[in-house]
Amino acid sequence: VQLQASGGGLVQPGGSLRLSCAASGSSIRINNMNWHRQAPGKQRELVAGITSGGSENYVDSVKGRFTTSRDDAKNTVYLQMNSLKPEDTAVYYCEADWWQYGDSVVAGRSWGQGTQVTVSS
């Protein structure tokens, strides 16, 4: 199962971006999906997550500004980022737990390749 993250770019402070993370593979179901970010010289941090039931959680620094959602029909999760700040600048990664149904059920975890978000005037 591969994850493809997209939607990053350069935006001015106060602007918005919408990241997408699409899972590809046959007969898969996404369980929990998380968004992480890593800024230069800093450790990777968990930013937001959404469970299979749709429960969301966020790190305090993005609460009220970021919203994660999912479209299970498309095996895609989104991160809507509003009121962006320079400190949001980082490479954003998606990570998902999944099941793949075949002759047996296989569970696994995958990471996307990362998408750069730069907030600067």
Side-chain angles (χ1 to χ4, degrees):
V1 176
Q2 293 187 331
L3 302 183
Q4 180 70 42
S6 60
L10 172 64
V11 64
Q12 292 186 341
S16 298
L17 283 174
R18 188 194 196 202
L19 306 184
S20 300
C21 181
S24 61
S26 60
S27 303
I28 61 172
R29 179 175 178 178
I30 302 300
N31 188 10
N32 301 329
M33 184 173 279
N34 297 313
W35 290 95
H36 304 253
R37 67 185 179 187
Q38 187 165 21
K42 294 188 177 181
Q43 290 187 332
R44 188 172 296 188
E45 68 168 341
L46 176 63
V47 176
I50 186 166
T51 68
S52 58
S55 296
E56 304 162 35
N57 59 86
Y58 304 93
V59 69
D60 286 346
S61 60
V62 308
K63 284 180 180 177
R65 301 187 298 120
F66 290 11
T67 303
T68 186
S69 60
R70 60 192 292 159
D71 184 339
D72 289 335
K74 297 180 179 179
N75 282 326
T76 299
V77 177
Y78 305 96
L79 184 67
Q80 178 67 44
M81 304 185 296
N82 299 327
S83 302
L84 282 162
K85 304 175 181 180
E87 51 263 43
D88 295 319
T89 295
V91 178
Y92 284 71
Y93 300 88
C94 55
E95 168 239 330
D97 295 324
W98 47 263
W99 296 299
Q100 190 165 35
Y101 298 88
D103 293 336
S104 60
V105 178
V106 176
R109 174 174 292 172
S110 298
W111 284 80
Q113 83 286 4
T115 184
Q116 176 69 47
V117 171
T118 302
V119 185
S120 175
S121 55

